[in-house]
Amino acid sequence: MKLTERPYFIPAAALGAVTLILAGGALIASLTSSPSQQGATDGSAATADIEAADTDETNLSPSTAPVITPLDSVADITSEPLEEVETDAAKLASASTTPAPTAAPFSFEQVINKAQALSEHEVQKSPPVPAAAAAFNYDQYRRVEFKREAAEWTPDEAVPFRVHYDPRGYLFNDEVKLNIIENGVAQPRPYSEAEFSFFDLPLSDQDKQAVGFAGFHVTTPLNSSGKWDDLVSFKGASFFRALSAGTVYGASARGMAISTASPTGEEFPAFREFWLVKPEPGARSMTVYALLNGQSTTGAFRFVITPGTATIIDVEAVFFPRRKLTEVGIAPITSMYYFSPHSINRGNRDYRVAVHDSEGLMIELHNGEWVWRPLANPSQLEISTFATEPPLGFGLIQRHRAFKDYDDLEASYELRPNVWIAPKGDWGAGNLTLVEIPTTNEYNDNIVVSWRPSTPWDAGKPVRMAYQMTWSLPQPVVAPVAKITATKVGISPSTKRPVFLIDFESDNDALLRDAIPEVSTSNGTIIAPVIRPNPDTGGMRLSFELDAKDASLSELRARLTKADRPVSETWLYRWRS
């Protein structure tokens, strides 16, 4: 398996007892059980009820929503008898002069209506994929090629986007329906085996005809004129990934998550149908609508995707729970963290300096505090929660951008994108939740961050939410305080205590001059905190030791201040013996 193309899944984990600790504005939850081997990820949610008919993206108040009317979306065939055909000549003549009805222009309300109609019925299974395709291994699946000349809108040189379709097989066995919207009218996009090259793979002609679509990816001239680069990919449950200029695939997003890291087992609602709007000539954005369907909920999504140095995806969604939902994840981001210099228990002999798609969780809180939480590959499942009201923004960030930081010619971890979420509207009370799952390799996503609402979602009651995503190589937001550029953890050779080194940097040299360190721990004692200039970076380095005494877990917190005001990000770290 190539390191640059991991499948869309992460291991599940069983939960045990939860310990809550308040640490510098962040509420920390620690789970003490060991993981299982099932595939899983997390989510977290923000809720808002739907009451009024207004789908304007600029008006996303919790009290607004479209009027829901039934749509014949559950079945396209009716068993009702046809009415008797009139034979009166006058009526026939009159009918011949009556204009034929025209299809209503496609709108987001149609997807919302369809999601509501489906929510009133049990979820139906996808048509089975041919067994030979389901048996593909990773390399066999990658050999199936969608022919470049068959890409959507290829003949139209004025349209700056192309759509390439992905087949079912391997891990991607659910069938996805696709539609193309042109001039306001939606038409189904049929599957044709002639558009794929199957080479010598063990598929019969009948198998090839029944493979069907598993998803799609969009290309655009992202990095240079005339060269079609991947922009966004939707494939597997409700997963999608995007790229900005200069990046390679890394972190993923999901439409939603249910019961992630729960002892009852995680659910994976899936995008089952898409509507792709043909962009106008020279358009800067592409719009995609999606229908979500799962055991416990349905949903309607609108994605407006704008590529560039930072690729922006504006997301609007309406959910229709089939049952009461208490563990919902909204705007979940998943990523991979294996090890780095701040991993105190690496336990491997890897030649590389670090291996991760993302190295830290960054949060902008409403109180003006900026938080940096280095990610971890724990020995047991860990869940941490931060804040009780939705932050102004949060994301999984890759700060080290030099090849020497990873020393991997194939994976190019220095080019993995940051993913930043900026909530729109009122998400309501809840917690920003980080799930860290143990992993013994770099092939599975083991990090999930999302918003989890504190108020359950009631069955049959629509919920609306919206947010903006930024995918970028540069950091998507710039804090007005000094940022943390490195965390290093080791053992003091003289005292045998854990020792921590934190590097702070700022473009404003005066910001860090004469700054005072504030360091605290939930258990044990902080020993000898010292701050000194780092001549290599031009910033400052804070170092200290931890005397954990008998504690097996300590939540550490550090920042730099002047006149009791923070001049740096707040560093949070969970230490385990």
Side-chain angles (χ1 to χ4, degrees):
M1 177 184 297
K2 288 194 174 182
L3 306 185
T4 53
E5 299 186 27
R6 283 195 321 282
Y8 291 87
F9 65 91
I10 67 175
L15 300 187
V18 179
T19 303
L20 298 179
I21 302 170
L22 185 63
L27 185 64
I28 310 299
S30 169
L31 285 104
T32 58
S33 67
S34 59
S36 73
Q37 297 302 316
Q38 300 172 344
T41 51
D42 152 308
S44 55
T47 72
D49 298 340
I50 296 184
E51 297 175 359
D54 187 350
T55 58
D56 189 339
E57 290 185 43
T58 63
N59 184 2
L60 298 171
S61 165
S63 63
T64 64
V67 173
I68 306 298
T69 56
L71 186 76
D72 57 341
S73 54
V74 178
D76 296 326
I77 328 177
T78 176
S79 58
E80 294 296 319
L82 297 175
E83 292 185 2
E84 217 175 291
V85 178
E86 296 184 79
T87 57
D88 184 271
K91 291 182 179 180
L92 288 174
S94 173
S96 66
T97 62
T98 303
T102 58
F106 181 87
S107 68
F108 187 29
E109 284 76 11
Q110 293 181 27
V111 186
I112 294 172
N113 290 340
K114 187 165 188 175
Q116 187 201 28
L118 287 173
S119 72
E120 297 168 357
H121 303 263
E122 291 185 0
V123 64
Q124 295 182 352
K125 292 183 178 180
S126 169
V129 66
F136 282 164
N137 60 32
Y138 176 75
D139 292 325
Q140 288 176 312
Y141 180 74
R142 290 186 65 234
R143 288 191 63 201
V144 183
E145 293 182 2
F146 182 72
K147 297 176 181 177
R148 186 174 296 272
E149 62 272 18
E152 209 67 51
W153 310 316
T154 295
D156 194 341
E157 296 181 358
V159 176
F161 299 92
R162 301 283 183 266
V163 181
H164 308 254
Y165 301 109
D166 299 318
R168 292 196 294 169
Y170 181 46
L171 300 174
F172 312 106
N173 295 328
D174 284 346
E175 183 179 63
V176 170
K177 294 182 180 180
L178 295 165
N179 306 273
I180 301 298
I181 302 173
E182 188 170 357
N183 298 322
V185 178
Q187 296 289 340
R189 180 30 166 106
Y191 165 82
S192 172
E193 71 276 13
E195 295 177 331
F196 290 86
S197 294
F198 294 96
F199 302 102
D200 59 351
L201 291 169
L203 293 176
S204 67
D205 290 342
Q206 185 177 5
D207 287 340
K208 295 174 185 177
Q209 294 169 9
V211 165
F213 295 129
F216 65 93
H217 60 280
V218 178
T219 60
T220 193
L222 187 61
N223 294 294
S224 59
S225 179
K227 182 178 181 296
W228 296 86
D229 302 301
D230 271 17
L231 169 64
V232 64
S233 172
F234 288 85
K235 184 168 67 172
S238 66
F239 286 90
F240 60 98
R241 301 190 289 179
L243 296 173
S244 63
T247 61
V248 300
Y249 280 130
S252 303
R254 295 171 63 185
M256 74 176 304
I258 300 176
S259 301
T260 300
S262 167
T264 60
E266 182 169 14
E267 289 186 32
F268 289 90
F271 291 134
R272 301 291 292 271
E273 188 169 4
F274 291 93
W275 293 260
L276 315 177
V277 182
K278 181 179 181 180
E280 296 295 328
R284 299 184 60 186
S285 301
M286 179 177 167
T287 301
V288 173
Y289 298 92
L291 175 69
L292 183 86
N293 201 357
Q295 191 69 33
S296 298
T297 189
T298 64
F301 281 76
R302 171 163 50 195
F303 301 93
V304 180
I305 306 159
T306 307
T309 304
T311 290
I312 306 299
I313 303 181
D314 289 293
V315 184
E316 183 179 358
V318 183
F319 299 96
F320 297 91
R322 286 188 168 100
R323 64 174 178 87
K324 187 172 185 177
L325 297 177
T326 58
E327 296 181 89
V328 178
I330 291 299
I333 315 169
T334 73
S335 193
M336 180 276 295
Y337 176 87
Y338 186 21
F339 66 84
S340 73
H342 72 248
S343 304
I344 191 169
N345 299 316
R346 283 180 51 164
N348 65 66
R349 299 180 179 181
D350 202 296
Y351 70 91
R352 293 167 292 183
V353 181
V355 175
H356 48 68
D357 288 341
S358 308
E359 61 185 287
L361 168 63
M362 181 178 175
I363 312 168
E364 181 185 4
L365 297 173
H366 269 279
N367 64 3
E369 188 175 16
W370 291 80
V371 172
W372 177 254
R373 165 61 152 77
L375 299 177
N377 178 9
S379 57
Q380 58 194 37
L381 179 73
E382 304 273 6
I383 294 184
S384 307
T385 60
F386 310 84
T388 55
E389 63 176 324
L392 297 176
F394 65 91
L396 294 178
I397 306 298
Q398 187 83 314
R399 283 187 170 167
H400 284 79
R401 293 300 187 185
F403 170 77
K404 64 181 178 60
D405 295 326
Y406 307 94
D407 196 23
D408 192 319
L409 288 171
E410 183 180 14
S412 299
Y413 287 115
E414 68 276 10
L415 302 180
R416 304 297 170 108
N418 304 306
V419 187
W420 183 257
I421 305 291
K424 294 181 181 181
D426 183 7
W427 278 17
N431 291 112
L432 183 64
T433 304
L434 172 67
V435 177
E436 296 166 301
I437 302 172
T439 184
T440 57
N441 58 54
E442 62 201 276
Y443 305 124
N444 297 330
D445 284 344
N446 64 319
I447 303 295
V448 186
V449 62
S450 60
W451 180 256
R452 289 187 177 180
S454 56
T455 302
W457 290 6
D458 293 329
K461 190 174 183 181
V463 179
R464 164 172 294 210
M465 47 78 61
Y467 54 93
Q468 184 177 84
M469 310 184 75
T470 301
W471 303 70
S472 65
L473 188 67
Q475 189 161 297
V477 290
V478 178
V481 294
K483 69 178 181 180
I484 296 163
T485 56
T487 298
K488 298 180 181 180
V489 182
I491 300 294
S492 169
S494 57
T495 67
K496 308 303 179 184
R497 291 192 290 253
V499 60
F500 301 86
L501 305 175
I502 309 168
D503 284 330
F504 298 86
E505 294 181 30
S506 173
D507 293 334
N508 181 2
D509 294 337
L511 189 65
L512 293 174
R513 192 178 303 130
D514 300 323
I516 298 172
E518 287 185 358
V519 188
S520 62
T521 177
S522 62
N523 293 299
T525 304
I526 299 299
I527 305 295
V530 176
I531 185 169
R532 57 173 63 89
N534 185 335
D536 184 60
T537 65
M540 304 294 286
R541 171 170 287 183
L542 170 63
S543 62
F544 62 90
E545 293 183 12
L546 172 66
D547 183 357
K549 303 185 184 301
D550 296 327
S552 60
L553 179 150
S554 294
E555 297 291 350
L556 304 175
R557 180 179 183 271
R559 66 180 182 179
L560 304 182
T561 66
K562 280 186 177 181
D564 297 325
R565 293 195 303 260
V567 295
S568 75
E569 294 176 322
T570 298
W571 175 86
L572 300 178
Y573 190 91
R574 174 174 293 161
W575 175 85
R576 282 190 181 275
S577 60

